[in-house]
Amino acid sequence: MEKNRPTVYQANPLIEGRKPMNALEMRLFLLALQNVNPHISENDKYYDRGFKELHLTPSKVKEIFGHGEYLHRLKEVCRKLIQRSVVVEGENGEQIYYALFGRIRYQPRDGLRIKFNDDMRPLILDILESGYSYTKVSMKQIFQLSSAYAMRLLELMLQYRGMMKDKQIVRQMTLDELRFRLDVQDGTYPAIKDFKRRVLDAPIREINEKTQYRISYENVKTGRKVTGFIFTMDCSNVIPESAVQDDVALEMMPSKQEGHGLSEMAINKLTTLCGSNAEFKRRMDYALELAEKRKVKDLPAFLYKAIEQDYRKRDAEIRAAVEREMQAAADNAAWEQDALRMFGDAIPLDVEEVPFNTTTEMGRACIGVVKNELQERRLTFTGRRLLEEHGMSVARFIELYCKA
């Protein structure tokens, strides 16, 4: 799997289709999507001509799914997922069924292997050729969600990203459209209060807590009956994709206790920016040490800035630069002392000192020849002659041209 693909692409008919998958199956679907380099623009030079098999080694599987219940359930989930079909509405309103995967297998010693069914090409690979518009979704945002309803709602809202106004996406969907797109079977949650509680309220709460998006909704009524909903998604806190690390893994967001006064929204935004809880903790620990040394008054504000701008990495780079300068100075001192000891009396000063002409290419080249020879602890006929012609001792040459 290529690392540098933080977003996945789907043709809009697939976004609006029925995906009968639970959350863990959705994650496998997303991982397979991340392995696809689709043809989406006439300007694309490099894209896949066919579906490649995604192979995650055992170590990568453990990195993504951890060692807990996700890993224990993976083999059974793969067995069920190979039987799944997605349902897409055709131009004339007919329902078209697509077998999702051509091959999927998980063996603890081999890892995970997934390959899409070739019939899925127009929906996720040959998107430009199919003529479909498409939606891109950030893997980092969606992969942490534990509800399939939450994943699907986020996809459906991001489909309308192109119509965003004032950093808000607004979309209206009927109750029947939602039941189809979220795979809520007829007869399930017939009471609207149960539908809202299980299908909308809990998933939206998870989106608001675990991603950078904030979704709210209001009822649409026909008479006294709720027949649809208007959803609004606030995107004002979204970090640019280029700033987010693309590795994904299942992990819980750090608790507020570990945030030392940072809000839940701030912790969520920072962990997304850091790319993992482990990196968040490393930056937090370093920021806390700095805050104690500096006697910071507004701790949450300082921690936020220190984590966001990665003071830990910045200071490490500064220390490394200082060490390099110190080492370079030590190295210079070493060869200068050697040169003085070896060649201090080697140049007869029979002519008046004539500085090298640093304004010409030839003059700078002559300086370079002599300097390189001295640094290499040797003085050839050429170097010796240049110094003699300019009436310049080795000590004087070093003073004039090697101290900058």
Side-chain angles (χ1 to χ4, degrees):
M1 181 176 60
E2 294 183 29
K3 289 179 66 62
N4 299 322
R5 192 170 296 134
T7 55
V8 293
Y9 298 82
Q10 301 172 64
N12 282 340
L14 181 57
I15 290 287
E16 296 192 337
R18 169 174 274 174
K19 298 173 182 172
M21 292 181 275
N22 61 33
L24 190 49
E25 291 169 341
M26 277 288 293
R27 291 188 185 108
L28 291 176
F29 169 68
L30 290 167
L31 285 171
L33 276 182
Q34 197 178 26
N35 193 52
V36 177
N37 185 20
H39 190 197
I40 58 177
S41 167
E42 292 181 353
N43 296 324
D44 290 344
K45 294 182 179 180
Y46 307 103
Y47 54 88
D48 295 340
R49 266 60 177 186
F51 285 127
K52 300 177 295 184
E53 181 183 69
L54 166 65
H55 180 210
L56 299 178
T57 63
S59 61
K60 189 65 177 177
V61 171
K62 289 178 181 178
E63 178 185 333
I64 293 173
F65 291 99
H67 296 265
E69 70 168 300
Y70 295 113
L71 198 58
H72 296 316
R73 292 170 50 198
L74 206 51
K75 192 170 185 178
E76 179 64 16
V77 169
C78 291
R79 186 186 67 80
K80 292 181 179 179
L81 190 56
I82 193 63
Q83 304 171 26
R84 298 293 194 202
S85 296
V86 294
V87 187
V88 174
E89 290 187 326
E91 294 182 359
N92 299 320
E94 76 276 19
Q95 294 187 349
I96 306 172
Y97 291 76
Y98 289 87
L100 195 55
F101 293 106
R103 182 168 63 252
I104 179 169
R105 184 184 71 177
Y106 171 63
Q107 295 291 340
R109 292 186 178 181
D110 178 64
L112 180 65
R113 294 180 180 271
I114 303 177
K115 187 177 181 182
F116 280 111
N117 179 8
D118 276 346
D119 287 344
M120 294 293 295
R121 290 183 64 119
L123 298 174
I124 55 180
L125 182 63
D126 303 329
I127 295 178
L128 178 65
E129 289 79 1
S130 70
Y132 295 135
S133 53
Y134 62 88
T135 296
K136 66 176 184 178
V137 180
S138 167
M139 279 287 287
K140 194 66 184 179
Q141 297 288 347
I142 199 169
F143 202 81
Q144 302 300 325
L145 299 174
S146 61
S147 162
Y149 292 147
M151 293 179 176
R152 293 291 289 120
L153 274 172
L154 187 55
E155 285 184 339
L156 288 164
M157 293 305 295
L158 289 173
Q159 183 187 355
Y160 274 41
R161 185 191 282 115
M163 291 179 276
M164 183 189 305
K165 292 183 179 179
D166 299 325
K167 295 187 176 181
Q168 288 191 332
I169 298 171
V170 178
R171 179 169 190 172
Q172 182 170 339
M173 287 179 275
T174 68
L175 183 57
D176 289 340
E177 287 173 337
L178 274 174
R179 284 188 173 274
F180 174 76
R181 292 167 181 168
L182 301 183
D183 191 39
V184 182
Q185 301 296 328
D186 294 338
T188 305
Y189 311 128
I192 194 65
K193 65 176 183 178
D194 292 331
F195 180 90
K196 289 164 63 175
R197 180 169 57 89
R198 300 296 297 273
V199 180
L200 299 182
D201 293 343
I204 286 175
R205 185 164 54 250
E206 186 184 26
I207 291 172
N208 293 346
E209 291 174 353
K210 293 185 178 180
T211 77
Q212 299 166 30
Y213 303 103
R214 298 292 175 269
I215 298 181
S216 58
Y217 71 90
E218 57 186 89
N219 299 336
V220 174
K221 293 185 176 180
T222 301
R224 300 179 61 183
K225 183 179 180 182
V226 175
T227 55
F229 304 92
I230 297 175
F231 296 89
T232 302
M233 186 162 77
D234 183 359
C235 304
S236 57
N237 290 316
V238 176
I239 298 172
E241 291 168 359
S242 58
V244 179
Q245 297 185 26
D246 63 324
D247 287 347
V248 294
L250 294 173
E251 57 184 357
M252 299 300 291
M253 191 174 68
S255 68
K256 290 186 69 175
Q257 291 178 335
E258 297 174 340
H260 299 276
L262 290 172
S263 68
E264 190 171 282
M265 181 184 296
I267 294 173
N268 173 41
K269 188 172 182 179
L270 289 171
T271 50
T272 303
L273 181 63
C274 291
S276 70
N277 288 354
E279 177 61 19
F280 173 83
K281 187 175 186 306
R282 282 190 289 269
R283 296 190 192 184
M284 172 63 81
D285 290 345
Y286 185 78
L288 288 170
E289 291 179 10
L290 282 183
E292 185 175 355
K293 292 177 182 177
R294 300 182 184 183
K295 308 298 181 184
V296 170
K297 294 181 179 180
D298 188 349
L299 181 61
F302 176 80
L303 292 178
Y304 189 95
K305 186 176 181 180
I307 294 171
E308 181 186 40
Q309 298 183 13
D310 197 357
Y311 282 10
R312 178 174 174 269
K313 180 180 178 182
R314 181 202 65 182
D315 291 353
E317 290 175 347
I318 291 173
R319 286 194 299 272
V322 171
E323 290 173 359
R324 286 195 298 271
E325 288 295 325
M326 293 177 63
Q327 185 61 48
D331 292 343
N332 282 342
W335 75 255
E336 289 169 7
Q337 292 299 319
D338 287 347
L340 289 172
R341 185 176 66 254
M342 296 172 67
F343 311 114
D345 300 323
I347 309 300
L349 302 179
D350 299 333
V351 298
E352 184 178 350
E353 181 181 304
V354 180
F356 287 86
N357 189 349
T358 58
T359 63
T360 66
E361 186 175 350
M362 177 60 73
R364 292 190 295 270
C366 290
I367 292 173
V369 168
V370 177
K371 184 175 181 180
N372 287 339
E373 290 188 4
L374 293 177
Q375 286 178 325
E376 294 173 2
R377 280 69 163 178
R378 63 188 180 88
L379 195 60
T380 67
F381 173 79
T382 300
R384 189 185 300 269
R385 181 177 59 80
L386 287 170
L387 288 172
E388 289 176 350
E389 287 178 353
H390 286 78
M392 194 171 293
S393 68
V394 169
R396 180 62 172 160
F397 179 86
I398 291 174
E399 179 186 355
L400 292 176
Y401 305 111
C402 301
K403 294 295 187 181

